[in-house]
Amino acid sequence: MQNRMMITGAGSGLGREIALRWAREGWQLALSDVSEPGLQETLKQVREVGGEGFVQRCDVRDYSQLTAFAQACEVKLGGIDVIVNNAGVASGGFFAELSLEDWDWQIAINLMGVVKGCKAFLPLLEKSKGRIINIASMAALMQGPAMSNYNVAKAGVVALSESLLVELRQQEVGVHVVCPSFFQTNLLDSFRGPTPAMKAQVGKLLESSPISAADIADYIYQRVAEGEFMILPHEQGRMAWALKQKNPQLLYDEMASMADKMRAKAQATKG
């Protein structure tokens, strides 16, 4: 380990906070995002806390941009030790309302972006015996109503991470998957869905969270150091996951009831 980390979606939110948390430990950072102003701001903050690194614009939908980013890491840092596949977008809406384009967009970024990130950087990680940190969501485990395309994409990230965990053990490449619940972030900037009401509901959940992106980054740092595979930063998330494992039907009934309430609220708003 030479303390070199790559982060996608590093221009804001959790990606930026992960960069800052590792920067405080003196890591060299390779930062990517589709927002160049966001990347420059993250790099500035990274340097302020004693870290160093470089930025490169990268759209995770484009595999050639990710392989070019991996080459840049090899040239500028001599390799990479940890990759964080964090880039993601939000969406919501009941299944009947979501278009197939909504599905394609969600899967292309939130699932295939992670697949392509792992694929592009695996040769470097095999050399360094490094680690993969994939950012999924509690939506991958809980499947809340009115976000089926998001749930499916994030569940795919968990399944991919589980697959890599067992496949890469022999190569001594570590794997972690992070499933945060709602937290204070700018995820809504990228939100896509059929109804403004859905965006408003998600916004309230994000704002009401007592936990910040910086708190989550710190929790991830600690748990990765301990070698934990599935990292659930929210206490409520850990409780919900334990409940689902013990009594899944109870959770499904609760989610169905939540869906009814959301539909009623949407109808009232229209009326």
Side-chain angles (χ1 to χ4, degrees):
M1 279 276 182
Q2 291 181 41
N3 295 4
R4 302 160 300 186
M5 173 183 264
M6 174 285 268
I7 307 167
T8 65
S12 63
L14 183 58
R16 176 177 289 168
E17 294 300 339
I18 289 171
L20 292 171
R21 182 64 188 84
W22 265 263
R24 288 187 192 101
E25 308 298 324
W27 281 57
Q28 294 182 81
L29 300 160
L31 307 168
S32 80
D33 201 288
V34 289
S35 164
E36 294 195 41
L39 280 176
Q40 293 301 334
E41 178 57 30
T42 300
L43 185 60
K44 178 171 155 277
Q45 291 187 30
V46 157
R47 286 174 173 157
E48 282 167 4
V49 299
E52 195 40 76
F54 74 95
V55 299
Q56 187 158 319
R57 189 188 182 282
C58 182
D59 184 333
V60 296
R61 290 174 292 186
D62 185 343
Y63 185 61
S64 66
Q65 291 185 32
L66 280 159
T67 54
F69 187 34
Q71 285 167 349
C73 289
E74 196 161 22
V75 170
K76 295 179 182 184
L77 306 179
I80 210 79
D81 301 290
V82 176
I83 68 166
V84 184
N85 289 303
N86 166 73
V89 289
S91 66
F94 284 103
F95 180 77
E97 303 163 341
L98 291 169
S99 69
L100 290 178
E101 288 74 21
D102 291 332
W103 276 89
D104 289 343
W105 178 76
Q106 181 59 237
I107 299 289
I109 299 169
N110 281 5
L111 175 54
M112 290 310 298
V114 177
V115 171
K116 290 171 184 175
C118 291
K119 190 87 175 156
F121 279 84
L122 186 57
L124 294 181
L125 292 171
E126 286 179 333
K127 279 183 198 163
S128 65
K129 303 203 183 305
R131 294 175 184 272
I132 295 167
I133 302 173
N134 290 331
I135 308 297
S137 166
M138 280 308 294
L141 307 176
M142 294 292 115
Q143 288 85 43
M147 47 199 290
S148 56
N149 58 346
Y150 186 79
N151 294 341
V152 168
K154 292 298 192 177
V157 173
V158 171
L160 169 69
S161 304
E162 290 174 334
S163 303
L164 294 176
L165 176 72
V166 296
E167 284 188 29
L168 298 178
R169 185 174 290 180
Q170 197 176 11
Q171 283 87 338
E172 296 177 63
V173 174
V175 181
H176 311 267
V177 64
V178 184
C179 295
S181 303
F182 289 107
F183 62 95
Q184 297 151 24
T185 180
N186 64 336
L187 196 63
L188 273 198
D189 293 353
S190 67
F191 186 90
R192 187 159 150 179
T195 59
M198 192 64 65
K199 183 170 182 174
Q201 283 185 30
V202 174
K204 279 180 193 164
L205 287 165
L206 295 174
E207 284 165 22
S208 66
S209 171
I211 189 167
S212 70
D215 297 330
I216 291 173
D218 189 53
Y219 189 86
I220 295 168
Y221 184 87
Q222 293 168 33
R223 296 296 165 158
V224 166
E226 288 169 22
E228 190 169 292
F229 166 66
M230 189 177 283
I231 299 171
L232 309 179
H234 290 71
E235 190 180 355
Q236 277 183 309
R238 295 191 287 275
M239 285 161 63
W241 179 228
L243 170 68
K244 184 175 180 181
Q245 288 173 298
K246 196 172 169 182
N247 190 345
Q249 192 59 50
L250 190 66
L251 193 92
Y252 300 145
D253 292 344
E254 179 62 35
M255 291 293 185
S257 162
M258 194 191 296
D260 292 342
K261 285 176 193 160
M262 288 168 83
R263 276 204 185 87
K265 202 169 179 181
Q267 283 299 327
T269 311
K270 277 182 196 169

